[in-house]
Amino acid sequence: MTKYVYDFSEGNKEMKDLLGGKGANLAEMTNMGLPVPPGFTITTEACLAFLAKGGAPPEMLEEAGEHLRRLEEAMGKALGDPSDPLLVSVRSGAKFSMPGMMDTVLNLGLNDASVKGLAEQTGGDMRFALDAYRRFIQMFGKIVMDVPADAFEHALDEAKHAKFEGAQDTDLDQDDLATLIERFRAIYAEHTGEDFPKDPKEQLRLSIAAVLESWNGKRARDYRRQNKISDDLGTAVNVVAMVFGNRGDDSGTGVAFTRDPANGDRVPYGDYLPNAQGEDVVAGIRNTLPLAKLEELDPVSYGELLQVMHTLEMHYRDMCDIEFTIEKGRLWILQTRIGKRTALAEWVMAFDMLEEGLVDEDTALLRVDANRLEELFKRRVKADGASPIAKGLNASPGAAIGEVVFTADEAEARAKGGARVVLVRRETTPDDYHGMIAAQGILTSAGGTNSHAAVVARGEGIPAVCGADAIRLDLAGKRFEANGTTVAEGDVITIDGFTGDVYVGELPLEESVLEKARAGDASAREEKIWGAFERLMAHADARRRMRVRANADTPDQSTNARERGAEGIGLCRTEHMFLGEERVEAVRQMIFAETPEQEQAAYDVLLPLQRGDFVGIFRAMSGLPVTVRLLDPPLHEFLPNQVELAVEVALGKERGEDVSEQERVLRKVNELHEANPMLGLRGVRLGIVKPGLYAMQVRAICEAAAQVKKEGGDPKVEIMIPLVATRPELEQMRAELEPVARQVLADAGVELEHLEFGTMIEVPRAAVTAGEIAEVADFFSFGTNDLTQMGFGFSRDDIGKFVGMYEERKLVPANPFVTVDRPGIGRMMAIACAEGKAANPNLHLGICGEHGGDPASVTFCHEVGLDYVSCSPFRVETARLAAGQAAVGSAESASK
Ligand code: PEP
Ligand code: MG
């Protein structure tokens, strides 16, 4: 029989699949002997069974009842006992942390009778008991019964106002709370048509069901989609004995990180809120104190907390994030997990922990996320004396410039229209998630570094400034005021998530430390992040099997790529060499040529220009392979637009002008017009139809290589023929072009050690007949842009219209133009690799589609046995890192 419920003493940290992250870590800490309140976990399997059946499996209820009985025994109290009640919290906790996306109910077990028992038990503290009760009604109403949160908030605000201007919730006394509870109960009844349930078992049953159901709530689904978390995991539910941080000034609650999650510094970090319950910290309801303040308030608990933090970090060998509560001077640990951190902190911590001997090099390498590396190269605000209008906490690094918006919906709508926006709120709630991820940056006037806004922003890599309390929001007037400056919706502001500064207008941005250090800046090279970057990248380079090349079309791009560690060019697209006034003229001459002589004359103009380009590229990449792709796009791209030209001709005629030249061009344009140019006369087909074209390009390439070789350089040339679908296409082209190359080199008296002919595999037919094609190719380079386009039948230029919906409905696990679709396109690649290698063991294999810079795709390329990946110059570091991680990851799994 399936076991649906586990006591904390029965689990451990490896059981995240079943117990969720929170449950598994609570179990681990319980078994480590840390002060965790007792409790039990209802498994994710129970959640899936619940959701499938639309109700709780009877065995689950039975088991939960049994565990509750044991919990009551352990605590020496019974749930809802009017004289000495046990209270519990019911907390969600999936395998992956989904901050604030699912539901939690606190103080469960209170009713009109047990609230008195609670007061007695707590030394007659009726105010405390009533406060717990009103919180419970509020949470239960909102979470379990969908009573609008505003209704309760509004009543609470009214109560505070009635007390005195500027009153906090802690200013409400016993009588105020008793009145408020009456009001809350009335609100509950109004919205649900029922009385607030008195029976604690009923409260528990309903709460567990609500938490399980929250797995499928909109917020949770949105979050999973954005973070690529499967819908099939389910959440666990933790039922935990309550401890109280709101029992006076010797109580409180907080969040602590064993190191600074923003910059990685090895110092404890966090927020503390005296006399409050856990949810208050995350919700940013009152501004929190920095954790260090706890040392003054309660040195004993602070010391204990530091000890626990140390124990946890040594145990998990990573930075831990801890939720704790102090109840009357006694410390309780309510949760721990591996802490989320910024991209910067991730590198600094991995490096420090490696230096400290806490982790080995491979582990340190796997600790950094290749998807976020680009963030570290992000620019910063260059303030140059500009004065900020407000300052908040530097909650998430990066600089953001955008139009001010005040609601998540507005942020989403404007961003969809192409605008850059900064979402400005008092604080955010999980309901704002869709707007937050659409914004360039987030600015809040309340809340600490662990408020919802800060946590989400850091996780998503969105710059954020939180708790900028000089900001006075006027939501009705759609504006805010800060230190005398008024900013209206639509005005542009700049926020600096590194410093917490907020500026009006668009400020200039400056290069990141890494970018400066890479360029040789001495002081940037002193910074720890540079040391971390160098050390871990060196390890990635040492571990990776695949080489990393860049897609670069010019000498400048090639130099940039080489500086970033590119080990060659995997794709030099030659089409730009046909652009520019002089060149387009010659290209048109080639297209219009009526005799071989006219065509040749055009090639004679183009040849020296192209040769010059190749010389620059071969010099920049001396000693490294350069794959040059012969012309790929359809010829009409070099001619004027058909419609515009037709209009020009018609208008000219109307005006009685001589339009004979335009008419001649139009005739040619019409002649070349294709209904479906992506599948038309392009790629190798061009080479076949216009043999002089590819011959000219091969001549230019080889003349350039000969020149660079004579200068003392070392060009390594790979000539690539695009869009091949059949072996004879490549065979015939090669038979025509290879002699041209050999002749040019012989004439120049130069020998190249490395001169290869190969093809792109970008047409499905080529992939599945790769064994035949490999016999006449020296290399394959997967053109996964076209392979994906033709494999799915998705136009790569138009997919933007529906790919979002496809992802949302999980029709594809990810945008297949970003991450290789393993079962389909990936399978074709695997077939082509295996059959190509079998037919030609010397064949070398690479990828030059956009996927070459996507970490998940790089991992796939490693697995399928490619020799290299090629990506845009700015992603070379990402690809190097991902390739190193793929090698370490596969070594790890092989040794398991
Ligand atoms: C490809 O199709 O993957 C490719 C690299 O070529 P292009 O993007 O130029 O079509
Ligand atoms: Mg292509």
Side-chain angles (χ1 to χ4, degrees):
M1 200 185 80
T2 321
K3 179 173 163 65
Y4 282 133
V5 185
Y6 285 71
D7 192 84
F8 288 168
S9 60
E10 294 176 306
N12 64 55
K13 71 176 175 9
E14 309 305 331
M15 295 169 71
K16 289 198 181 68
D17 286 342
L18 193 62
L19 303 180
K22 184 177 291 191
N25 287 322
L26 280 169
E28 185 78 10
M29 289 195 293
T30 300
N31 292 322
M32 284 167 75
L34 295 178
V36 174
F40 56 87
T41 305
I42 298 169
T43 65
T44 53
E45 280 177 4
C47 174
L48 298 178
F50 176 96
L51 294 175
K53 293 200 180 110
E59 317 89 273
M60 180 199 110
L61 290 178
E62 219 169 277
E63 274 185 67
E66 174 56 24
H67 280 264
L68 177 66
R69 211 185 43 70
R70 277 197 242 160
L71 178 63
E72 289 177 329
E73 231 171 70
M75 299 295 289
K77 307 168 180 222
L79 193 69
D81 182 338
S83 59
D84 185 11
L86 168 69
L87 302 190
V88 295
S89 63
V90 180
R91 297 167 181 264
S92 58
K95 176 177 181 186
F96 301 107
S97 145
M98 298 168 52
M101 299 301 155
M102 287 181 302
D103 292 336
T104 283
V105 180
L106 301 180
N107 303 343
L108 190 144
L110 284 173
N111 53 31
D112 287 352
S114 64
V115 71
K116 297 198 183 86
L118 178 65
E120 261 162 50
Q121 211 190 106
T122 52
D125 192 346
M126 197 58 187
R127 188 207 170 274
F128 156 74
L130 288 170
D131 188 46
Y133 192 19
R134 74 96 187 151
R135 285 167 186 266
F136 175 48
I137 300 173
Q138 188 174 352
M139 268 194 154
F140 186 92
K142 175 179 162 219
I143 305 288
V144 182
M145 303 304 289
D146 289 329
V147 179
D150 284 357
F152 294 119
E153 290 294 344
H154 189 69
L156 178 61
D157 278 346
E158 270 179 2
K160 286 195 277 188
H161 278 302
K163 192 75 188 165
F164 58 84
E165 201 46 54
Q168 303 247 359
D169 47 354
T170 42
D171 294 317
L172 299 180
D173 64 23
Q174 192 175 318
D175 294 339
D176 303 326
L177 287 169
T179 317
L180 189 59
I181 287 168
E182 283 311 312
R183 181 80 199 96
F184 275 13
R185 260 205 303 246
I187 292 172
Y188 183 95
E190 241 167 66
H191 284 89
T192 61
E194 294 162 20
D195 283 341
F196 187 75
K198 292 191 190 68
D199 175 7
K201 295 245 162 66
E202 172 79 354
Q203 296 170 352
L204 182 61
R205 200 178 51 72
L206 290 170
S207 298
I208 290 173
V211 173
L212 291 174
E213 272 163 5
S214 71
W215 174 255
N216 277 339
K218 178 174 179 338
R219 279 186 273 136
R221 277 186 285 118
D222 284 353
Y223 186 87
R224 291 200 293 272
R225 193 181 66 243
Q226 177 75 11
N227 290 278
K228 308 242 173 329
I229 296 174
S230 160
D231 283 337
D232 306 333
L233 301 174
T235 182
V237 181
N238 300 289
V239 178
V240 194
M242 280 299 299
V243 290
F244 296 96
N246 53 339
R247 289 191 55 192
D249 291 337
D250 56 355
S251 303
T253 186
V255 180
F257 293 81
T258 57
R259 302 189 186 210
D260 188 327
N263 60 23
D265 281 355
R266 201 184 170 190
V267 287
Y269 176 91
D271 299 317
Y272 183 66
L273 199 54
N275 199 9
Q277 275 200 326
E279 304 308 297
D280 300 345
V281 178
V282 179
I285 282 167
R286 267 185 277 148
N287 284 0
T288 52
L289 305 175
L291 184 65
K293 275 268 174 210
L294 179 60
E295 188 170 12
E296 289 164 31
L297 297 173
D298 182 352
V300 175
S301 299
Y302 184 70
E304 263 179 62
L305 177 65
L306 289 193
Q307 188 53 48
V308 168
M309 285 163 86
H310 178 72
T311 306
L312 282 172
E313 193 173 282
M314 295 308 286
H315 185 77
Y316 283 86
R317 301 197 168 262
D318 203 346
M319 185 266 273
C320 297
D321 144 356
I322 298 157
E323 280 179 21
F324 67 93
T325 281
I326 297 172
E327 179 175 345
K328 296 236 155 257
R330 176 148 186 216
L331 174 71
W332 293 98
I333 307 298
L334 302 187
Q335 171 175 331
T336 194
R337 63 185 170 202
I338 303 303
K340 294 202 176 192
R341 60 204 77 179
T342 62
L344 170 71
E346 185 170 88
W347 283 80
V348 168
M349 284 182 200
F351 176 62
D352 278 347
M353 288 185 195
L354 173 59
E355 300 271 290
E356 290 158 24
L358 210 58
V359 297
D360 63 18
E361 275 186 309
D362 283 353
T363 308
L365 181 60
L366 294 176
R367 287 272 171 91
V368 294
D369 181 353
N371 286 300
R372 296 173 77 190
L373 176 55
E374 263 179 278
E375 256 180 62
L376 286 186
F377 287 90
K378 272 189 189 162
R379 288 175 303 170
R380 291 170 169 243
V381 172
K382 195 159 192 264
D384 272 342
S387 22
I389 53 161
K391 190 170 178 65
L393 301 164
N394 52 342
S396 178
I401 297 173
E403 297 168 15
V404 166
V405 290
F406 294 105
T407 66
D409 289 345
E410 185 68 23
E412 189 180 54
R414 289 200 187 205
K416 272 200 179 135
R420 295 178 308 169
V421 300
V422 173
L423 178 61
V424 183
R425 308 275 295 159
R426 183 175 180 279
E427 71 227 8
T428 63
T429 70
D431 291 331
D432 294 323
Y433 183 70
H434 62 291
M436 297 171 77
I437 55 173
Q440 301 289 313
I442 295 158
L443 170 61
T444 67
S445 59
T449 46
N450 293 317
S451 60
H452 177 264
V455 172
V456 171
R458 280 201 296 272
E460 303 294 342
I462 304 167
V465 172
C466 292
D469 47 16
I471 288 180
R472 301 265 168 277
L473 287 170
D474 169 8
L475 293 181
K478 295 194 173 177
R479 62 186 169 210
F480 73 77
E481 192 267 331
N483 295 316
T485 307
T486 301
V487 178
E489 184 177 73
D491 289 354
V492 170
I493 60 168
T494 301
I495 63 166
D496 186 341
F498 287 108
T499 62
D501 287 327
V502 180
Y503 304 89
V504 171
E506 179 166 349
L507 260 64
L509 304 180
E510 76 175 332
E511 291 304 338
S512 66
V513 174
L514 278 190
E515 205 58 81
K516 282 196 214 159
R518 218 179 44 73
D521 180 307
S523 73
R525 287 186 172 219
E526 294 289 298
E527 301 221 11
K528 188 178 266 179
I529 180 63
W530 176 247
F533 179 73
E534 286 222 299
R535 170 103 193 248
L536 297 182
M537 287 303 284
H539 189 59
D541 287 341
R543 291 294 253 137
R544 69 187 155 86
R545 180 185 58 70
M546 286 191 299
R547 303 236 155 230
V548 175
R549 300 192 194 180
N551 294 353
D553 309 340
T554 64
D556 279 354
Q557 287 177 5
S558 308
T559 307
N560 178 17
R562 195 166 188 165
E563 282 168 10
R564 292 176 183 279
E567 297 159 302
I569 291 181
L571 175 62
C572 171
R573 292 181 168 101
T574 53
E575 37 268 34
H576 88 274
M577 296 177 186
F578 289 80
L579 299 173
E581 228 171 282
E582 187 186 7
R583 298 176 184 210
V584 167
E585 209 33 65
V587 174
R588 290 199 184 161
Q589 200 184 326
M590 167 191 91
I591 295 172
F592 286 97
E594 272 158 17
T595 65
E597 291 73 25
Q598 285 172 346
E599 195 170 316
Q600 189 55 46
Y603 296 141
D604 291 345
V605 175
L606 287 168
L607 179 95
L609 299 171
Q610 300 228 329
R611 186 175 55 217
D613 295 333
F614 291 129
V615 166
I617 292 170
F618 290 140
R619 280 187 190 140
M621 280 289 163
S622 178
L624 297 174
V626 175
T627 306
V628 182
R629 179 176 74 184
L630 303 182
L631 193 68
D632 181 44
L635 291 180
H636 76 88
E637 291 194 8
F638 300 99
L639 293 179
N641 177 285
Q642 189 185 30
V643 176
E644 282 168 20
L645 194 59
V647 171
E648 201 181 309
V649 167
L651 289 177
K653 273 190 177 163
E654 224 174 77
R655 289 194 291 262
E657 293 163 5
D658 174 13
V659 286
S660 51
E661 177 53 23
Q662 287 99 313
E663 278 186 308
R664 189 176 78 91
V665 178
L666 182 59
R667 267 198 303 281
K668 197 70 191 179
V669 170
N670 288 338
E671 196 183 304
L672 287 177
H673 177 77
E674 291 176 321
N676 204 342
M678 279 313 253
L679 303 178
L681 183 58
R682 59 170 285 220
V684 66
R685 304 155 204 170
L686 262 181
I688 289 164
V689 172
K690 284 207 169 285
L693 174 64
Y694 277 11
M696 179 275 290
Q697 287 198 289
V698 168
R699 183 172 289 279
I701 294 166
C702 291
E703 287 181 0
Q707 181 182 331
V708 172
K709 179 93 193 208
K710 282 184 181 165
E711 292 167 5
D714 179 16
K716 293 186 183 304
V717 181
E718 297 177 357
I719 294 174
M720 178 153 81
I721 295 167
L723 223 73
V724 161
T726 73
R727 170 191 161 126
E729 282 175 330
L730 181 62
E731 197 171 15
Q732 284 184 25
M733 281 324 300
R734 186 171 183 161
E736 276 175 33
L737 298 175
E738 199 163 354
V740 175
R742 305 268 168 228
Q743 190 61 48
V744 170
L745 295 172
D747 290 349
V750 163
E751 266 188 44
L752 292 184
E753 292 90 65
H754 191 96
L755 172 65
E756 296 189 343
F757 284 83
T759 182
M760 291 181 82
I761 300 291
E762 53 183 341
V763 174
R765 189 184 188 284
V768 296
T769 59
E772 292 174 13
I773 296 174
E775 286 170 0
V776 291
D778 301 321
F779 65 87
F780 283 168
S781 176
F782 288 96
T784 42
N785 303 333
D786 273 311
L787 195 57
T788 302
Q789 169 164 266
M790 296 189 219
F792 272 91
F794 286 165
S795 159
R796 58 195 266 194
D797 300 309
D798 304 305
I799 177 123
K801 291 196 187 116
F802 60 87
V803 73
M805 182 176 279
Y806 259 61
E807 285 186 81
E808 197 163 317
R809 295 212 194 153
K810 302 222 154 76
L811 299 171
V812 287
N815 180 342
F817 286 99
V818 173
T819 297
V820 169
D821 154 62
R822 285 181 178 235
I825 308 304
R827 174 118 196 272
M828 284 197 273
M829 291 171 68
I831 292 171
C833 288
E835 297 188 1
K837 273 279 192 195
N840 174 3
N842 294 325
L843 187 78
H844 62 95
L845 301 166
I847 180 173
C848 62
E850 281 306 300
H851 305 81
D854 166 63
S857 308
V858 170
T859 305
F860 174 72
C861 293
H862 171 89
E863 288 169 13
V864 88
L866 297 196
D867 298 302
Y868 69 86
V869 296
S870 188
C871 58
S872 81
F874 288 97
R875 293 172 88 190
V876 165
E877 285 106 339
T878 299
R880 282 165 55 202
L881 177 60
Q885 291 179 326
V888 169
S890 61
E892 269 202 341
S893 47
S895 65
K896 266 187 193 150

